[in-house]
Amino acid sequence: MSQTEAVSESADGVGTVAEYVDRMGPSWIAGAIAAGPATIASLVTAGGAYGYTLLWVVVLSAGAGALAQYLAMRLGLLTERGIVAVVEDHLGETWAWLLVGDAVLAAGVAQLVIMKTVATVSATVTGIDARVWGVAWALVLAAGLAGGGYRFLELAAKTLVLLVVLAFVASLFVVPIDAGAAAAGLVPSVPSGGALVAAGILGGAVHITLITMHSYTMRARGWDRDDYGLATVDVGASMLVAFGVYSLAIFLVTASVLTSADLSTVGAAQALGPLVGDSAQWLFLLGLWGAAVSTLGGNTIVPPFLLADKLGWGTTIEDGRYRALLVAVALLSAPGAFIGGSVLGQLVLVLALGTVGTPFAIALVLYLLNSEAVPEANSRLANLGGLALVVVSGGLAGNFVVEQVGGGIGPLSGFVLAFAVALGLATLGLGGKYVREELVA
């Protein structure tokens, strides 16, 4: 009996919701990464700088994130393999390495900044030096993942995401919301200088790390084609509902109260105290702490999954080589706590940089879902949705690159430009390859 059938048969029984939540999981790990401090930083910046103006991007991000995960889910279930192996078999080794490099770079840079956030919040709550927390969290992460593997991470992700959502929703009840201004923010517009923040918000939900990891987490869960229905609900519950509510709650709180875009994520929580009371401050701070910890764990497994698959290793802790990769990535995140500078701008930049690499990942998934790699081609509606994701994420990424280059070509902006050009050309090349194949057919 498949898991879907088991859920269906128990639909009228007591404890069905708990059983169903227990069966869900892979998309909640993606949701744990999406609902992280980088997304909070983008939402805080958007609300503090532009009020309710970018509410439409927040709403769009939840739907776009769910759609991106649904497409990644289809590819993983229909092939029952990791995405890197599928790309290598059907497109070649060069394309596979390009995907690995894109995802590992985005996840690796994010890992350091996420660790800095975790350590900073931990220091704020406890009074213990952030650098001590950085080392401590790296050791805890290495021990937990190496010893418990996927099941440890899934349980932590589901628990923390639910608690984080509850914390931020509770903060809505102690902060006054201007319903009229919020409604006006549903009309699409990008204010001057808002492209980076908009890219950051969307990048939190539609990100290359979330797309590429999904096939591996489903394999670790033991899902196959028979679990298609359960996997679809898993995506909807985690990305569309939990992540959507999370993003809306944070944005509405900050847009209603904060008037500065220069606050750090911790600073935003602390600013709420004098404005709307200690309850809002501590709810926001505890929510940020949970979000940072859950994101750190989920993001850690992305590089090991992709590298192990490319090298032909196992992707569970039963393979010592994969376990060593997990430990290495966990320990290498510790230096993030020693990075100087404001974490807010770094977090937004990390998400926006990930957005630059995301259109390529979505294009790869769409190509494979319309090829002989899968037994059942994508529907027209799914393809249109996927193309819309490529266009929207590509447009926001393009605006971000233009803003970066507009300030002058320096080491960082030069790297971002080169990265964007390389992946942009690869995406166009992939589209051209598909068109030529269709014309020949």
Side-chain angles (χ1 to χ4, degrees):
M1 179 186 296
S2 73
Q3 294 177 16
T4 307
E5 291 170 334
V7 170
S8 178
E9 285 190 4
S10 62
D12 299 321
V14 177
T16 298
V17 173
E19 293 173 3
Y20 208 67
V21 169
D22 180 64
R23 287 181 169 86
M24 292 191 292
S27 192
W28 287 83
I29 297 177
I33 298 177
T39 297
I40 295 177
S42 296
L43 295 168
V44 166
T45 303
Y50 307 108
Y52 296 100
T53 305
L54 292 175
L55 178 58
W56 68 274
V57 181
V58 179
V59 175
L60 174 66
S61 70
L67 176 58
Q69 288 308 113
Y70 172 75
L71 294 174
M73 177 213 82
R74 275 184 56 81
L75 181 62
L77 285 187
L78 294 178
T79 61
E80 298 184 359
R81 302 181 67 196
I83 186 173
V84 173
V86 176
V87 169
E88 185 165 7
D89 282 353
H90 294 276
L91 285 168
E93 189 171 15
T94 300
W95 291 95
W97 274 120
L98 187 58
L99 176 63
V100 171
D102 184 8
V104 169
L105 177 63
V109 172
Q111 186 78 0
L112 294 172
V113 182
I114 293 167
M115 174 58 87
K116 178 180 179 178
T117 307
V118 173
T120 301
V121 178
S122 300
T124 302
V125 173
T126 65
I128 299 173
D129 190 277
R131 292 167 294 185
V132 174
W133 273 114
V135 175
W137 277 117
L139 292 173
V140 169
L141 190 60
L145 292 176
Y150 172 80
R151 294 298 294 177
F152 163 80
L153 181 61
E154 181 186 289
L155 177 61
K158 286 194 287 188
T159 302
L160 287 171
V161 168
L162 288 173
L163 292 175
V164 166
V165 170
L166 289 174
F168 285 123
V169 169
S171 67
L172 285 175
F173 292 93
V174 293
V175 173
I177 307 297
D178 186 336
L186 293 173
V187 179
S189 67
V190 179
S192 177
L196 172 60
V197 182
I201 294 173
L202 187 66
V206 184
H207 197 277
I208 184 171
T209 57
L210 311 183
I211 297 167
T212 54
M213 75 181 293
H214 206 52
S215 57
Y216 301 101
T217 52
M218 288 191 300
R219 290 179 69 202
R221 196 66 160 89
W223 286 1
D224 56 27
R225 297 174 194 175
D226 291 335
D227 298 298
Y228 193 95
L230 176 59
T232 302
V233 174
D234 189 43
V235 169
S238 62
M239 293 300 299
L240 190 60
V241 178
F243 176 76
V245 171
Y246 157 95
S247 298
L248 279 173
I250 297 171
F251 180 81
L252 290 174
V253 166
T254 55
S256 300
V257 177
L258 301 181
T259 58
S260 173
D262 297 325
L263 293 169
S264 67
T265 47
V266 175
Q270 293 171 328
L272 292 175
L275 295 172
V276 288
D278 290 340
S279 296
Q281 174 184 332
W282 280 100
L283 284 169
F284 200 92
L285 189 61
L286 291 173
L288 171 60
W289 198 8
V293 173
S294 65
T295 301
L296 183 67
N299 194 75
T300 303
I301 68 174
V302 176
F305 269 147
L306 297 172
L307 287 170
D309 193 21
K310 181 64 190 74
L311 297 172
W313 300 350
T315 53
T316 66
I317 57 174
E318 280 69 34
D319 189 317
R321 297 167 297 184
Y322 171 75
R323 180 183 292 179
L325 282 176
L326 279 177
V327 172
V329 174
L331 296 179
L332 288 173
S333 63
F338 296 80
I339 296 175
S342 170
V343 72
L344 180 64
Q346 294 166 352
L347 285 168
V348 176
L349 183 61
V350 161
L351 275 188
L353 182 61
T355 303
V356 170
T358 298
F360 173 64
I362 299 173
L364 273 179
V365 170
L366 282 177
Y367 176 91
L368 293 170
L369 284 174
N370 288 278
S371 72
E372 60 182 16
V374 297
E376 176 186 335
N378 244 10
S379 67
R380 180 172 296 180
L381 183 60
N383 281 332
L384 287 175
L387 287 174
L389 284 179
V390 173
V391 171
V392 172
S393 61
L396 288 174
N399 284 335
F400 162 61
V401 173
V402 169
E403 282 192 1
Q404 288 293 302
V405 175
I409 304 293
L412 179 59
S413 58
F415 170 76
V416 170
L417 178 61
F419 186 58
V421 169
L423 292 177
L425 291 175
T427 303
L428 291 174
L430 189 63
K433 177 179 173 61
Y434 177 75
V435 171
R436 289 194 303 272
E437 291 172 349
E438 287 296 299
L439 290 176
V440 171

